[in-house]
């Protein structure tokens, strides 16, 4: 027996120091990533400030002229628009400080399309629709694609794998707007099973009533199918390819040699380790789904962020476009940061060089 073992609290102290080192490495990695994402967010915010000021002419005057054609503009509204889109008689640095002050108060100006409603109010009305749609479809696509990928990758070359791999490639290559158009033609025009536009029956009063909830589900089915069909192929192929690599590992063969059941080996050993890259891909998938939902919502006129962005573009609603660009950029950064942070705790290999 060694002296370290005989010393009071020796093994406990050694384990405590090892745990402390692991915790320190995790903290350093997370701090570095927090700094990286804060810097990236600052760049996105700055670009949102610079781009309108690179436009020819005076964007603020153009916006105020369009608003003045609809209704009288208050001095507070004019000051807000000037702070967001430029004041020719003020230095660029002062404009930037005023712009940051507007953002700190979530003041993005007044929407031209929905004048005189503030942009923040317009986005707050559309955001819950997109969050509900994207959250549901992302979870369903992830579960369906990952489950099918586990089955396909567990026996590469089988009949099931020979069917699912080309199908996933085909589904993953289809753009959102094409799938949305086909769903609209097939299930709303040719066979009128689902409504073609809006998020609910406009004859109903919004509220937590069975009629309204049923209407929301009915009207949201086609946009949901569109996003699931377009994104499930990527989940399936990613999981299948990782499963093919993982089932050939020595620890999987050892588990099979021990006589463990096939499903236990498949789920507890192979799939559990193959899932790690899926976590890293989750944030990227969320970003692509959000981007794709812009087109899907525009096709179905679903009252979410995508439809608002479409309306802002066709109406040259610069305040709404600027706010939506910033909101989408920051949401994707947050999703990536969460996925990176979770990955640090799931995979110890990410902490080896810290």
């Amino acid at each position: 027996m060694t002296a370290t073992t005989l010393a009071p609290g020796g093994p406990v102290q050694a384990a405590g120091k090892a745990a402390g080192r692991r915790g320190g490495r995790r903290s350093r990695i997370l701090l570095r990533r927090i700094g990286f994402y804060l810097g990236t967010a600052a760049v996105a915010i700055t670009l949102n400030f610079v781009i309108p000021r690179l436009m020819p002419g005076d964007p603020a005057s153009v916006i105020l002229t369009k608003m003045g054609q609809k209704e009288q503009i208050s001095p507070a509204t004019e000051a807000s628009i000037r702070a967001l889109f430029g004041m020719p008689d003020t230095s660029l640095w002062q404009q930037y400080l005023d712009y940051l002050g507007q953002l700190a108060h979530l003041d993005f100006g007044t929407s031209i399309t929905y004048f005189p409603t503030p942009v923040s109010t317009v986005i707050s009305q559309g955001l819950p629709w997109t969050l509900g749609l994207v959250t549901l479809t992302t979870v369903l696509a992830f579960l369906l694609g990952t489950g099918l990928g586990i089955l396909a990758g567990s026996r590469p070359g089988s009949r099931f794998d020979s069917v699912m791999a080309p199908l996933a490639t085909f589904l993953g290559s289809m753009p959102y707007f094409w799938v949305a158009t086909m769903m609209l033609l097939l299930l709303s025009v040719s066979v009128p099973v689902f409504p073609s536009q809006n998020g609910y029956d406009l004859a109903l009063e919004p509220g937590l009533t069975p009629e309204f909830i049923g209407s929301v589900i009915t009207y949201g089915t086609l946009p949901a199918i569109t996003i699931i069909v377009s994104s499930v192929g990527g989940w399936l192929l990613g999981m299948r390819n990782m499963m093919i690599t993982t089932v050939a590992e020595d620890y999987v063969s050892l588990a099979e040699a021990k006589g463990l059941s096939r499903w236990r080996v498949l789920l507890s050993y192979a799939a559990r380790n193959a899932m790690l890259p899926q976590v890293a891909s989750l944030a990227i998938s969320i970003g692509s789904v959000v981007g794709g939902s812009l087109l899907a919502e525009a096709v179905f006129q679903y009252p979410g962020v995508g439809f608002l962005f479409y309306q802002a573009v066709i109406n040259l609603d610069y305040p709404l476009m600027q706010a939506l660009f910033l909101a989408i950029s920051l949401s994707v950064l947050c999703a990536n940061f969460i996925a990176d942070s979770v990955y640090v705790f799931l995979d110890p290999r990410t902490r080896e060089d810290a």
Side-chain angles (χ1 to χ4, degrees):
M1 188 173 294
T2 63
T4 303
T5 306
L6 292 174
V12 176
Q13 290 179 355
K17 290 181 180 179
R21 287 193 295 269
R22 288 194 298 268
R25 286 195 294 267
R26 291 177 181 175
S27 299
R28 288 193 295 271
I29 291 174
L30 288 177
L31 287 175
R32 285 203 299 265
R33 296 190 178 184
I34 288 174
F36 169 78
Y37 282 105
L38 287 178
T40 307
V43 171
I45 291 172
T46 303
L47 285 176
N48 208 35
F49 166 80
V50 171
I51 290 175
R53 287 159 177 80
L54 296 178
M55 297 169 57
D58 181 9
S61 298
V62 175
I63 295 169
L64 291 171
T65 300
K66 289 184 178 182
M67 290 182 175
Q69 295 172 354
K70 295 187 177 183
E71 192 173 323
Q72 187 67 28
I73 303 173
S74 66
T77 299
E78 181 176 356
S80 175
I81 293 298
R82 291 289 183 187
L84 287 168
F85 292 92
M87 294 173 281
D89 56 344
T90 307
S91 67
L92 192 63
W93 175 247
Q94 185 60 48
Q95 291 182 43
Y96 187 63
L97 294 179
D98 294 338
Y99 162 79
L100 293 179
Q102 296 290 107
L103 294 187
H105 293 88
L106 297 180
D107 183 359
F108 298 98
T110 304
S111 171
I112 298 175
T113 307
Y114 303 95
F115 189 86
T117 307
V119 169
S120 56
T121 302
V122 174
I123 295 179
S124 65
Q125 293 173 350
L127 191 59
W129 293 94
T130 295
L131 288 178
L133 178 68
V134 171
T135 300
L136 178 62
T137 53
T138 301
V139 171
L140 291 177
F142 171 80
L143 294 176
L144 181 61
T146 302
L148 293 175
I150 291 174
L151 295 177
S154 62
R155 290 184 176 179
S158 64
R159 182 177 301 178
F160 182 77
D161 181 49
S162 300
V163 172
M164 296 309 300
L167 179 61
T169 304
F170 173 72
L171 293 177
S173 64
M174 294 191 300
Y176 281 92
F177 70 89
W178 186 86
V179 177
T181 304
M182 291 300 102
M183 292 292 105
L184 190 64
L185 291 175
L186 291 175
L187 300 178
S188 185
V189 178
S190 300
V191 183
V193 179
F194 299 102
S196 61
Q197 60 184 19
N198 295 324
Y200 61 94
D201 188 351
L202 299 180
L204 297 175
E205 184 71 22
L208 297 178
T209 61
E211 294 79 9
F212 180 75
I213 295 174
S215 177
V216 169
I217 294 174
T218 301
Y219 278 75
T221 300
L222 281 185
I225 292 176
T226 297
I227 296 176
I228 291 174
V229 169
S230 300
S231 58
V232 70
W235 289 115
L236 197 158
L237 283 178
M239 192 64 190
R240 170 190 177 272
N241 294 337
M242 285 305 304
M243 282 294 296
I244 291 176
T245 303
T246 306
V247 295
E249 295 288 344
D250 293 338
Y251 62 85
V252 176
S253 301
L254 179 61
E256 293 174 343
K258 290 181 178 180
L260 300 178
S261 65
R262 177 177 178 270
W263 283 107
R264 184 178 178 185
V265 173
L266 192 63
L267 298 177
S268 300
Y269 290 82
R272 184 177 179 181
N273 289 277
M275 281 286 294
L276 290 175
Q278 293 286 88
V279 176
S281 301
L282 180 60
I284 300 175
S285 177
I286 290 175
S288 64
V289 166
V290 171
S293 70
L294 301 181
L295 298 175
E297 290 179 8
V299 172
F300 295 107
Q301 297 187 22
Y302 191 79
V305 172
F307 183 65
L308 291 178
F309 206 101
Y310 171 73
Q311 291 293 318
V313 170
I314 63 175
N315 291 289
L316 297 180
D317 191 345
Y318 294 110
L320 186 56
M321 278 192 287
Q322 187 185 41
L324 288 173
F325 167 77
L326 185 61
I328 293 173
S329 300
L330 294 181
S331 65
V332 172
L333 285 176
C334 289
N336 277 273
F337 172 71
I338 292 172
D340 276 354
S341 301
V342 172
Y343 202 70
V344 169
F345 289 94
L346 291 179
D347 190 352
R349 291 172 295 182
T350 61
R351 306 189 294 269
E352 289 178 355
D353 298 329

